[in-house]
Amino acid sequence: MKSLQQLVRPNIWKLSPYSSARDEYSGHEAHVFLDANENPYNSPYNRYPDPLQRELKAMIAPIKQVPAECIFLGNGSDEAIDLVYRVFCEPTHDNVVAIEPTYGMYKVCADINNVEYRPVLLDEHFMIKANKLLAACDKNTKVIWICSPNNPTGNNMPVEEIEQLLRSFQGIVVVDEAYSDFSTVPVFRKRLGEFPNLIVLNTMSKAWGCAAIRLGMAFASKEIISIFNKVKYPYNINLLTQQHAKEALGDKEQVEKWVGILLQERRSMIDSFKELAVCEKVYPTDANFFLAKMTDAKGIYNYLVEKGIIVRNRSRIKLCDNCLRITIGSKDENAQLLGALRVLK
Ligand SMILES: *Cc1c(COP(=O)(O)O)cnc(C)c1O
């Protein structure tokens, strides 16, 4: 890997970050706070929240098995995705390489930041070859985006190919593990020590059932995390989110139960889909959704909308001709979807 100084944009490397009142004071027990122009009334909402979310990270560290200083928390993973561009990619000069099809935000953030985005098509089994991605890189490629399990295809990318990228590529490799709670393949977030150029993304929006609170995570070397911390908005995670996340993290067993139910439902949904007259193929999945090739994706999508059932029409996406992406819902929701599809010939 190149040195971090070679990879980080020069203006970011030099940046002296905003120093908030809550940054400057830390340590001593204090009980009089006259430093931040807050209103003394309306506790606890009158006080600025912890800019580095220390209590929350202390709870996340043992659950994710990542040291607290290697954790960045963002307003959804989307904040971390945008930060990767703002930290590493010089607009109109640098570029990034990504698998295709994949999660749409990598490209949207590239476009917003005016950074060239180079998609590399997966093969017909939705797999990658490291060599093909490396061949798309040049001296200005700063980042390679991998999503595993991948959205919208649902499958894990081969571990050996990701390892090869991490070893051969001189820049940053981001592995988005938003759906890893639904998969049994070993996760990359536990291998930060092995790969200094690795950034892993996680989120509370999927298995943890907290999409509304907007809490995403990036795991990386403490050097990369400290650069993220100086670029982010000072109070990017509000108090309500920090409080609710702590509550949720305190009940890990609940999440394990949900995941157990969803995996069982996934199995039976896939079996049922394979029996449908309007379903031609179900692709293998390691996530809480699956991709299904239908006889007429657009027609079926519109028919379901009429019935008040919304799935994701992915048929205009490369390699996903006539495909619907189906999220695993509650038993009742899944039964309603199947009921509506079984009457179609
Ligand atoms: C849903 C999803 C996320 C989550 O984004 P948040 O901003 O944390 O809600 C991240 N990555 C992928 C691939 C996703 O599908």
Side-chain angles (χ1 to χ4, degrees):
M1 162 192 188
K2 289 182 187 163
S3 73
L4 261 191
Q5 186 171 0
Q6 286 172 292
L7 290 172
V8 171
R9 295 167 65 199
N11 61 314
I12 300 298
W13 189 259
K14 286 194 310 234
L15 178 73
S16 13
Y18 174 73
S19 177
S20 68
R22 288 292 174 273
D23 280 324
E24 289 196 354
Y25 152 73
S26 67
H28 295 283
E29 256 333 284
H31 61 282
V32 178
F33 289 101
L34 305 177
D35 59 344
N37 300 346
E38 298 152 338
N39 187 324
Y41 309 112
N42 200 35
S43 175
Y45 307 110
N46 59 328
R47 299 295 177 194
Y48 283 102
D50 177 2
L52 290 173
Q53 310 98 22
R54 279 163 269 235
E55 288 179 21
L56 186 48
K57 285 176 187 171
M59 288 186 78
I60 292 171
I63 291 173
K64 295 291 184 176
Q65 295 176 47
V66 171
E69 73 262 25
C70 295
I71 302 175
F72 164 84
L73 299 180
N75 186 337
S77 322
D78 294 342
E79 182 182 358
I81 292 167
D82 187 55
L83 269 179
V84 167
Y85 288 102
R86 294 203 287 148
V87 165
F88 294 107
C89 301
E90 199 58 42
T92 72
H93 180 268
D94 292 334
N95 67 71
V96 304
V97 166
I99 58 173
E100 166 151 297
T102 193
Y103 185 46
M105 278 306 284
Y106 314 142
K107 175 159 194 313
V108 171
C109 286
D111 290 345
I112 290 169
N113 287 285
N114 207 8
V115 169
E116 185 197 346
Y117 184 85
R118 301 182 170 187
V120 174
L121 209 57
L122 299 172
D123 69 18
E124 74 271 26
H125 305 293
F126 297 142
M127 291 294 188
I128 47 160
K129 278 272 176 276
N131 287 336
K132 213 173 151 196
L133 288 163
L134 290 168
C137 297
D138 67 12
K139 65 180 196 329
N140 296 333
T141 306
K142 289 293 188 67
V143 179
I144 296 178
W145 292 95
I146 303 292
C147 184
S148 183
N150 188 30
N151 179 5
T153 62
N155 59 313
N156 274 301
M157 295 296 122
V159 171
E160 319 76 56
E161 301 295 322
I162 299 175
E163 287 171 340
Q164 193 191 331
L165 286 175
L166 284 160
R167 293 202 183 98
S168 319
F169 181 54
Q170 295 298 299
I172 300 292
V173 178
V174 182
V175 181
D176 188 341
E177 296 185 333
Y179 297 100
S180 60
D181 295 287
F182 303 102
S183 160
T184 52
V185 169
V187 288
F188 275 90
R189 70 164 189 274
K190 296 183 188 170
R191 303 177 65 182
L192 294 173
E194 236 176 291
F195 305 113
N197 56 342
L198 170 63
I199 298 177
V200 174
L201 303 181
N202 265 204
T203 179
M204 298 226 16
S205 299
K206 307 289 156 63
W208 286 84
C210 288
I213 72 170
R214 309 308 300 134
L215 191 73
M217 306 166 205
F219 306 122
S221 71
K222 62 180 196 302
E223 290 78 14
I224 291 176
I225 295 300
S226 64
I227 298 169
F228 274 31
N229 283 338
K230 74 177 190 173
V231 178
K232 76 179 184 71
Y233 289 164
Y235 304 105
N236 62 327
I237 308 296
N238 70 67
L239 178 72
L240 299 174
T241 294
Q242 293 193 42
Q243 283 177 337
H244 188 85
K246 280 187 237 170
E247 222 171 279
L249 289 159
D251 197 357
K252 192 158 70 91
E253 294 69 28
Q254 176 61 257
V255 175
E256 284 158 8
K257 265 186 236 159
W258 285 332
V259 169
I261 295 167
L262 291 171
L263 293 184
Q264 221 177 318
E265 282 294 296
R266 182 176 82 185
R267 219 165 303 129
S268 79
M269 281 279 272
I270 290 173
D271 290 344
S272 305
F273 255 69
K274 286 178 174 165
E275 302 297 317
L276 291 173
V278 291
C279 177
E280 291 184 351
K281 178 172 182 174
V282 177
Y283 291 94
T285 181
D286 299 291
N288 66 332
F289 61 84
F290 62 91
L291 198 63
K293 194 181 268 306
M294 312 300 281
T295 48
D296 170 21
K298 186 150 186 284
I300 294 165
Y301 173 83
N302 290 333
Y303 160 81
L304 289 171
V305 170
E306 286 293 308
K307 297 213 161 301
I309 299 170
I310 315 300
V311 298
R312 200 84 199 264
N313 181 8
R314 300 281 75 185
S315 52
R316 282 184 306 272
I317 299 220
K318 284 210 177 111
L319 304 181
C320 299
D321 206 28
N322 258 326
C323 285
L324 297 178
R325 191 192 70 191
I326 314 288
T327 304
I328 308 301
S330 65
K331 279 195 166 74
D332 176 55
E333 289 173 311
N334 300 336
Q336 288 192 47
L337 172 65
L338 287 171
L341 291 176
R342 277 186 183 126
V343 304
L344 296 178
K345 294 264 151 36

